Amino acid sequence: MTETPAKGVITITHTRAEGTILTGSRKGDGIFEIVREYNFWSSRNVDGLFLKRSRDKEAQTWRINAAAEALRAAGHEVTVEIDEDTRRSFAEAEADREERAAERAERFSGRAGRATASADAKRAAADRLSKRFEFGQPILVGHHSEGRARRDAARIDANMRASFEDRDRAGYWSNRAQASESYAQHRNDPYRTLRRLEKLRADLRAQERHLAAETAAGRDGARHTRLIEEITDEITHWEGIVEKAKAEGVKVWTPDDFTPGDFVRMRGSWYEVIRVNPKTLSIAWNLRLAPKPVMTREDATPPGYRLGTFTIDYTNVRARCPGEVMRAFLADGKVPGTKTAHEASEKLPASAVRAAEAAKPKTKKRSDPKTPKRVRVECTPDRTAATLTFLTGRSQPHKDFEPVTLTPPEDEKFSEVMWANTLRTAAVEYLAGRGFRFRDAGWSGESIQGASRAIEEIPAAEPMPEAAEGEKRDERAPAAEAQPTPAAETCPMCHSDQWNPQARVCGHCHHNPTATVAPAPAPAAGERDWQEAMAMVFIVSKNTRRARKRALWAMTRREAQAVCGDPRTSGRSYMLTWSGSPGEEGTDWEWVPDNGSLDAVLADLGITPRREWTAAPDAPDAVAPATA
């Protein structure tokens, strides 16, 4: 019968140097099972049980009191002694931590060495036993050597498995030894220390606020006073580490070292500086291109979008290169190294760049207050109308421009988002009529809640050439000076503001009217009748319902094939298709307005479409083209 251990006096003491230690317990008395849930543990280096991570810190009274109550409930007598006033300096505590880390590194290195030796020995034993099988000798079933051969095979397998396990254990202890060896280097790294100081200073300010609040309320603020002294001591220690690193040549970057237009090196790449902030740098950033050897402002500004930026801390900067030096390298197709950039930075510091900029004459740019700077588009919940409001530079309604109502095409509704074609096309067309266009900056918000975007005036168009002799000018067309042509600034196909008038290419639908069209082969004799039959040309897009067919023109099948095969009549979100058997009007299909965006294509192909469907009853609609 097992004798129940006598219940003695348990003492829980806490000091800054030793931490929280529980004494008065011995193995098998059940104390450890009670207090282990409160983070108490055992060690051969501690006489008793200890509370994890309690050295050089405040007493964790909530754990200590909970453990004491649990022990008292089990019938033990518990005494708690806490000493918060006696403590050692932070420098002494840090030196003790580094010493213990060195001892751990030595101990773990020994364990790794022993595990490696054991793995080598077991692998050698397996190799020695396997020599009897090295020429492929099989196990002779029924022979007197069968038993020994099977035992040797089992021993080979066991030694090899044990060798692998020892090798894994050796790697584990080797990694822990390496971590312990780099403890001091990691703790004293100047850049990590600067980030640590930022947090400590914030903690110090918080404790000072708490102390002031406690004092104002007439309560005891001894705890906050003690914490302020400890944090101040720690800050002093780490500031000394930073000053020592500066004396050894480590560069600590500050806002005075940079100016917009410079390039900084971070994580192996160069980034252009957009803004210099008190604690961070705003750099050019494009996630789709990162990582990139050099990220410029142009790289971070995709067509039709805003400039992308990303903020980095000064402790992440590793080098600086003046902007003009980097531009010179890029012009030669080169990327400067850290040493070259450092030499250029010393020759052209940021202070010199700022002085040169300040010496330049300043031309104060003032925009005309009578010109609107932005527009806001608000769509009604039923999406049958939208309101376009001109705004000032402060995003206030412009007093000289009344809000207007935009309506969608017949039998259509506006899309829910501003970047969809329907609502955007209506806004682009109206602004073009007023002499404005959208700027490269993107939309802010969505159309239902109210989307806004910057606008600018359309530059004056070139004078129209005089009409040739015999040509007559359309009296109904407005003058070029009074009504700018929208097609000159927007895509003639989808009316997108991503149209490039110089390259004649649309970035949205990829419309390219300069693309050459391959001539259609001449039809065979048996195909002429089939190709001259009537066909209906439809327009389909991503947002078109399957049950709805939108008809544009009626023409011959030969002409429909030419139109639908032209690369200018299809884009990323729409295309043209044709059918010789469209069905009944109003039931299977319906006419939609022709906005004239494809008139140039029809003119190039020499096609005159019709807007009525009169297929002959005896037309060979279902007859397939003959094959030669």
Side-chain angles (χ1 to χ4, degrees), residues 76-243:
H76 297 276
E77 182 180 351
V78 182
T79 303
V80 178
E81 300 175 357
I82 297 177
D83 182 9
E84 293 283 10
D85 297 327
T86 305
R87 64 179 182 87
R88 54 184 178 177
S89 65
F90 183 82
E92 294 175 346
E94 189 66 16
D96 184 37
R97 281 190 284 268
E98 293 181 3
E99 182 180 355
R100 292 201 306 270
E103 293 176 355
R104 288 197 304 272
E106 183 179 359
R107 184 167 65 254
F108 296 156
S109 297
R111 294 179 183 177
R114 289 192 296 272
T116 302
S118 176
D120 293 340
K122 291 174 181 176
R123 178 59 184 265
D127 292 343
R128 186 173 60 255
L129 290 171
S130 64
K131 287 187 177 297
R132 65 177 300 175
F133 303 107
E134 62 181 347
F135 296 110
Q137 174 67 33
I139 296 177
L140 303 177
V141 180
H143 194 264
H144 64 83
S145 62
E146 178 186 0
R148 181 182 176 185
R150 292 192 182 279
R151 289 193 297 273
D152 288 346
R155 283 195 289 269
I156 291 171
D157 180 74
N159 282 315
M160 290 297 292
R161 292 179 183 276
S163 174
F164 297 152
E165 294 175 0
D166 288 343
R167 189 70 63 182
D168 293 342
R169 188 163 58 253
Y172 168 77
W173 290 117
S174 177
N175 291 338
R176 291 202 59 180
Q178 184 178 1
S180 298
E181 289 174 357
S182 60
Y183 173 83
Q185 179 182 0
H186 175 84
R187 290 280 288 180
N188 296 327
D189 180 82
Y191 298 113
R192 290 190 178 93
T193 302
L194 287 171
R195 293 193 289 270
R196 190 181 300 119
L197 281 170
E198 288 293 328
K199 181 180 182 303
L200 288 173
R201 292 185 181 116
D203 293 342
L204 179 61
R205 293 191 295 269
Q207 292 300 328
E208 289 174 347
R209 290 194 299 269
H210 294 331
L211 177 60
E214 293 293 323
T215 303
R219 293 188 290 267
D220 184 16
R223 176 176 179 270
H224 299 295
T225 303
R226 184 175 61 253
L227 290 176
I228 289 174
E229 293 176 357
E230 295 175 1
I231 296 174
T232 304
D233 185 20
E234 186 174 356
I235 290 175
T236 303
H237 172 78
W238 294 124
E239 287 178 345
I241 296 295
V242 174
E243 294 300 326

Side-chain angles (χ1 to χ4, degrees), residues 270-291:
W270 291 97
Y271 299 90
E272 186 172 356
V273 177
I274 305 302
R275 289 185 299 276
V276 180
N277 310 312
K279 293 187 177 181
T280 60
L281 284 174
S282 297
I283 60 175
W285 183 257
N286 188 335
L287 184 60
R288 296 184 177 182
L289 299 180

Side-chain angles (χ1 to χ4, degrees), residues 534-586:
M534 296 302 297
M536 182 72 72
V537 177
F538 301 97
I539 180 171
V540 295
S541 62
K542 289 182 178 179
N543 299 325
T544 304
R545 299 189 301 273
R546 292 186 177 183
R548 183 186 183 194
K549 293 183 179 180
R550 301 184 296 171
L552 280 177
W553 311 297
M555 58 184 66
T556 65
R557 295 184 177 183
R558 176 183 55 80
E559 294 172 338
Q561 287 177 337
V563 171
C564 296
D566 193 290
R568 294 172 288 177
T569 61
S570 63
R572 187 167 55 185
S573 59
Y574 73 96
M575 64 179 294
L576 296 186
T577 184
W578 66 273
S579 173
S581 303
E584 297 182 3
E585 181 178 359

Side-chain angles (χ1 to χ4, degrees), residues 407-430:
T407 56
E410 187 178 356
D411 298 332
E412 292 190 20
K413 289 185 177 182
F414 284 134
S415 302
E416 294 186 2
V417 291
M418 193 60 233
W419 47 86
N421 287 339
T422 311
L423 183 53
R424 181 178 60 185
T425 300
V428 168
E429 292 178 348
Y430 176 78

Side-chain angles (χ1 to χ4, degrees), residues 346-620:
E346 289 185 342
K347 293 180 181 178
L348 189 63
S351 57
V353 177
R354 287 193 293 268
E357 290 292 332
K360 294 181 180 179
K362 301 295 183 182
T363 56
K364 196 170 184 180
K365 296 181 180 179
R366 296 181 61 89
S367 60
D368 187 1
K370 296 182 179 180
T371 304
K373 306 301 185 295
R374 299 181 66 86
V375 292
R376 183 173 66 246
V377 181
E378 296 176 302
C379 188
T380 58
D382 57 0
R383 295 180 290 160
T384 58
T387 302
L388 187 145
T389 306
F390 289 90
L391 306 176
T392 63
R394 297 182 178 181
S395 297
Q396 299 296 324
H398 203 287
K399 62 181 181 180
D400 297 335
F401 291 79
E402 294 293 333
V404 296
T405 301
L406 305 177
T407 56
E410 187 178 356
D411 298 332
E412 292 190 20
K413 289 185 177 182
F414 284 134
S415 302
E416 294 186 2
V417 291
M418 193 60 233
W419 47 86
N421 287 339
T422 311
L423 183 53
R424 181 178 60 185
T425 300
V428 168
E429 292 178 348
Y430 176 78
L431 290 176
R434 298 293 297 270
F436 295 97
R437 66 182 179 185
F438 289 123
R439 295 179 59 184
D440 291 338
W443 289 95
S444 298
E446 298 184 2
S447 61
I448 296 299
Q449 291 81 12
S452 63
R453 185 169 179 177
I455 60 173
E456 61 184 359
E457 290 184 300
I458 299 177
E462 296 181 359
M464 296 290 293
E466 295 183 2
E469 187 177 356
E471 293 182 355
K472 293 184 178 180
R473 187 172 181 267
D474 189 353
E475 301 268 345
R476 296 171 296 176
E481 294 78 10
Q483 183 73 15
T485 304
E489 298 297 335
T490 60
C491 175
M493 178 65 68
C494 66
H495 298 286
S496 170
D497 57 339
Q498 299 183 25
W499 171 255
N500 188 333
Q502 288 77 23
R504 305 292 295 172
V505 175
C506 179
H508 175 70
C509 66
H510 306 290
H511 176 52
N512 184 6
T514 61
T516 59
V517 183
E527 296 181 0
R528 290 194 182 97
D529 294 339
W530 184 88
Q531 290 191 347
E532 293 303 322
M534 296 302 297
M536 182 72 72
V537 177
F538 301 97
I539 180 171
V540 295
S541 62
K542 289 182 178 179
N543 299 325
T544 304
R545 299 189 301 273
R546 292 186 177 183
R548 183 186 183 194
K549 293 183 179 180
R550 301 184 296 171
L552 280 177
W553 311 297
M555 58 184 66
T556 65
R557 295 184 177 183
R558 176 183 55 80
E559 294 172 338
Q561 287 177 337
V563 171
C564 296
D566 193 290
R568 294 172 288 177
T569 61
S570 63
R572 187 167 55 185
S573 59
Y574 73 96
M575 64 179 294
L576 296 186
T577 184
W578 66 273
S579 173
S581 303
E584 297 182 3
E585 181 178 359
T587 303
D588 301 318
W589 58 272
E590 58 186 2
W591 292 105
V592 294
D594 180 10
N595 59 11
S597 60
L598 297 177
D599 290 347
V601 180
L602 298 174
D604 293 343
L605 298 177
I607 298 174
T608 303
R610 298 189 303 177
R611 295 282 291 179
E612 58 181 4
W613 177 251
T614 55
D618 56 347

